[in-house]
Amino acid sequence: MSLCAILCPASSRLPRRSAAMPTSSPTFVGAIDQGTTSSRFLIFNRRGEVVALHQLEFKQIYPNPGWHEHDPEELISSVERCVDGAVQQFEAQGHSRGQIAAVGITNQRETTVVWDKTTGKALHNAIVWTDTRARDLVRRLKARIGAGELTQRCGLPLSTYPSASKLLWLLDNVPDVKDAYERGNLAFGTVDAWLAYKLNGGPARDVYVSDPTNASRTMFMNLHTLDYDAELLEWFRIDRDKVKLPKIVRSADPDAYGSLAGTVLRGTKIMGCLGDQSAALVGQKGFTPGLAKNTYGTGCFLLYNVGHKPVISSHGLLSTVAFDFGEGRTMYALEGSIAVAGSSVKFLVDNFGFIDESSKLSALAETVEDNGGCTFVTAFSGLFAPYWIDDARGTIFGITAYTQRGHIARATLEATCFQTKAILDSMGKDSGQKLTELAVDGGMCNADLIMQTQSDIIGIPVSRPAMRETTALGAAIAAGFAAGVWESFDDLKDVNNEGKTLFRPQITAEDASERFARWEKAVQMSKGWSS
């Protein structure tokens, strides 16, 4: 049975598509990848190969300790410049811009933008998902009656992470935002909604939409209904008559997202949208329950497909929407986040001077056979999922006169692998489904040593694709489904398979268990270092 047959009844295979693309010339799909530090535009062929790419970094704004902002207009201008740059490369290869069937969007999640719905002007810098300025507000919210029941509806616990706390902070602290709210002119959105709105030309077209993978990160959407929840909004004391919320539409849709009003692709339709971690799961073809991906970046984000119904975690994980590809066919995921992954490597470079660049850490770790008895709990700002230990701090255990730089390097790399193991164990308990293979992407997965260590510790194969632009590929897949570039999930079975590397466990289960037990002991000993 095909994947499409499993997921979709005969009457609703995938999203209603635009007319099938002609087969006389090659067809391509564009993907806007608007991330935390840079914007990119990539063009993929039907085999999932990148044929053109343009990337621009933009300014990071840190007004106060713990605060992190972006200029909303710079997000738009950087995206538009990337579109033009990639298309220029594309046409230099002899292709025509008319061969680009559609454009998809993937974006940093939770980052919050507010603007005047009559003028389209942003009323404040975007507050980035990493921002913690709302911590006192969150502390007060946690004391409010009903706080413990929110997760059952929206899948997220109260924290500074979701968009809700960021919007409430803006309403409390920025007069222009408060004034627009009182006049009923306030528009709120995550970055996907802002992109769709502005790339369509702003108030002239007033395209104001968000997909469930992004809307589920606000705390305003009910995971079960995929719509805004009146009781959630009331609990947060948000008046729907005073703030405009984007309409929640499918992740793949031929009409809802409008079309580009500017750039050299003017008139090209936007047909797909996925939050970045969901996009990576789709790009790794994690379409069925029991499949998972882990993105090894500055931090780590592990998404585990749990099927057609949300699973509310009782083991320290987040519940979210994996994707919605139409006709009510929605897949959900459990999510675990690791605060420190690639940043621990940067720490050894910048703070300890172990090596002169991050790419050489794996080579340093390979100068020794093992960690020499060292365990490094990289809790620089506490531990995230599944531990959630705020007062833990980075701690190295087992140092002796024998310890060398290579041992510390190995222990640093192993820390991410052990935390991934802890998250996977929690996901198995919550979902009741056993993971059989872990798909990986992100910068750290380039190192064979890390991936082999990961496979050894979790006891299952780790699959690393040759083409690792899986987040952007996920956005292209969403748009490609709506455009008819791909007809079913079966059409993608050979996409990005060539050159895949599979790492299989090379140690016994008993050895892996012993190593993990040592890690868990170290975690417990790292508690209480910050009052």
Side-chain angles (χ1 to χ4, degrees):
M1 181 180 291
S2 72
L3 289 175
C4 186
I6 293 171
L7 293 177
C8 310
S11 60
S12 57
R13 288 296 184 201
L14 278 169
R16 178 174 57 85
R17 300 183 299 273
S18 61
M21 298 303 301
T23 58
S24 57
S25 63
T27 300
F28 302 87
V29 183
I32 293 167
D33 183 354
Q34 202 299 298
T36 307
T37 59
S38 69
S39 296
R40 307 189 303 160
F41 188 70
L42 299 86
I43 302 173
F44 293 88
N45 61 24
R46 291 190 81 254
R47 296 185 299 277
E49 299 165 336
V50 178
V51 296
L53 182 157
H54 194 78
Q55 178 173 355
L56 289 171
E57 293 187 354
F58 50 83
K59 185 177 180 181
Q60 305 297 310
I61 304 169
Y62 302 101
N64 292 294
W67 294 30
H68 190 183
E69 299 178 355
H70 292 154
D71 178 350
E73 296 297 341
E74 189 179 6
L75 298 185
I76 302 302
S77 63
S78 64
V79 165
E80 292 182 329
R81 289 165 61 197
C82 286
V83 171
D84 287 344
V87 173
Q88 183 178 11
Q89 295 176 28
F90 182 68
E91 292 185 325
Q93 299 171 27
H95 303 300
S96 164
R97 66 189 69 173
Q99 293 174 283
I100 300 175
V103 168
I105 293 173
T106 184
N107 57 282
Q108 51 172 313
R109 302 172 303 169
E110 296 92 18
T111 297
T112 299
V113 188
V114 287
W115 64 96
D116 187 309
K117 70 179 187 181
T118 60
T119 66
K121 179 183 177 182
L123 298 172
H124 191 271
N125 280 339
I127 298 183
V128 182
W129 61 276
T130 55
D131 190 287
T132 60
R133 73 184 68 187
R135 59 185 179 273
D136 291 336
L137 185 153
V138 169
R139 190 176 299 116
R140 295 194 300 271
L141 289 175
K142 286 181 176 179
R144 188 181 293 177
I145 294 174
E149 301 170 9
L150 300 178
T151 302
Q152 294 296 321
R153 289 177 177 269
C154 67
L156 307 178
L158 277 169
S159 74
T160 59
Y161 186 27
S163 307
S165 62
K166 306 179 196 305
L167 174 60
L168 294 181
W169 187 93
L170 288 164
L171 288 170
D172 286 347
N173 293 277
V174 182
D176 285 349
V177 176
K178 180 66 172 178
D179 178 64
Y181 178 74
E182 293 299 338
R183 291 185 291 109
N185 284 342
L186 182 65
F188 154 85
T190 43
V191 169
D192 61 311
W194 174 245
L195 288 174
Y197 178 79
K198 294 292 282 188
L199 294 176
N200 269 275
R205 291 188 187 171
D206 198 27
V207 174
Y208 193 45
V209 294
S210 182
D211 96 299
T213 69
N214 283 291
S216 66
R217 313 303 292 190
T218 64
M219 295 194 78
F220 299 147
M221 191 194 87
N222 187 307
L223 271 184
H224 307 274
T225 65
L226 300 185
D227 203 354
Y228 297 112
D229 188 299
E231 292 188 28
L232 285 172
L233 290 165
E234 183 179 357
W235 191 90
F236 284 109
R237 298 172 186 170
I238 297 294
D239 188 340
R240 285 292 300 273
D241 294 329
K242 293 183 177 181
V243 60
K244 186 176 182 182
L245 302 176
K247 180 182 178 182
I248 301 173
V249 300
R250 299 173 303 190
S251 306
D253 192 293
D255 302 310
Y257 295 100
S259 60
L260 296 174
T263 78
V264 296
L265 290 183
R266 185 181 298 107
T268 303
K269 297 188 75 171
I270 304 168
M271 295 193 186
C273 181
L274 291 162
D276 53 8
Q277 301 309 320
S278 287
L281 182 66
V282 169
Q284 292 277 19
K285 297 180 287 186
F287 300 126
T288 52
L291 297 180
K293 70 88 194 174
N294 200 16
T295 299
Y296 298 77
T298 301
C300 259
F301 293 89
L302 201 159
L303 259 66
Y304 186 109
N305 188 324
V306 296
H308 297 297
K309 295 182 179 180
V311 174
I312 304 301
S313 176
S314 57
H315 296 87
L317 305 175
L318 307 180
S319 300
T320 194
V321 178
F323 55 84
D324 177 5
F325 284 158
E327 310 301 336
R329 310 311 296 177
T330 303
M331 300 299 273
Y332 293 87
L334 285 168
E335 178 174 336
S337 55
I338 298 170
V340 176
S343 55
S344 65
V345 177
K346 194 172 188 300
F347 170 79
L348 292 188
V349 175
D350 296 345
N351 296 44
F352 281 6
F354 271 27
I355 46 175
D356 55 11
E357 56 184 88
S358 298
S359 61
K360 296 179 181 178
L361 187 71
S362 180
L364 176 61
E366 289 176 341
T367 62
V368 294
E369 293 184 0
D370 53 36
N371 61 25
C374 289
T375 300
F376 189 178
V377 181
T378 51
F380 298 154
S381 55
L383 285 172
F384 281 18
Y387 303 108
W388 301 109
I389 306 173
D390 292 337
D391 60 4
R393 285 298 177 264
T395 319
I396 304 176
F397 298 96
I399 294 178
T400 67
Y402 171 74
T403 304
Q404 302 172 31
R405 290 187 308 155
H407 296 131
I408 302 298
R410 267 202 184 249
T412 303
L413 300 178
E414 288 173 352
T416 298
C417 301
F418 283 127
Q419 290 179 80
T420 297
K421 157 75 171 169
I423 289 172
L424 284 174
D425 285 352
S426 293
M427 288 180 169
K429 294 172 185 175
D430 280 331
S431 68
Q433 297 168 353
K434 181 176 174 57
L435 186 69
T436 58
E437 183 177 290
L438 179 64
V440 298
D441 52 56
M444 284 184 75
C445 84
N446 292 328
D448 288 359
L449 174 63
I450 300 175
M451 294 299 97
Q452 184 58 58
T453 302
Q454 186 68 85
S455 178
D456 289 343
I457 289 172
I458 61 179
I460 59 174
V462 168
S463 177
R464 183 181 67 189
M467 195 287 294
R468 292 162 207 169
E469 300 287 0
T470 52
T471 301
L473 177 59
I477 287 172
F481 277 151
V485 174
W486 297 287
E487 296 287 334
S488 72
F489 294 111
D490 269 353
D491 289 347
L492 294 162
K493 64 181 183 295
D494 295 325
V495 165
N496 203 22
N497 283 340
E498 187 175 345
K500 182 180 292 187
T501 304
L502 197 64
F503 298 86
R504 299 183 183 276
Q506 295 180 355
I507 66 174
T508 65
E510 291 76 17
D511 191 2
S513 179
E514 182 179 332
R515 294 186 191 184
F516 186 63
R518 190 181 302 117
W519 162 263
E520 292 276 80
K521 179 181 179 181
V523 166
Q524 295 307 311
M525 294 173 68
S526 73
K527 290 181 177 179
W529 290 99
S530 172
S531 52

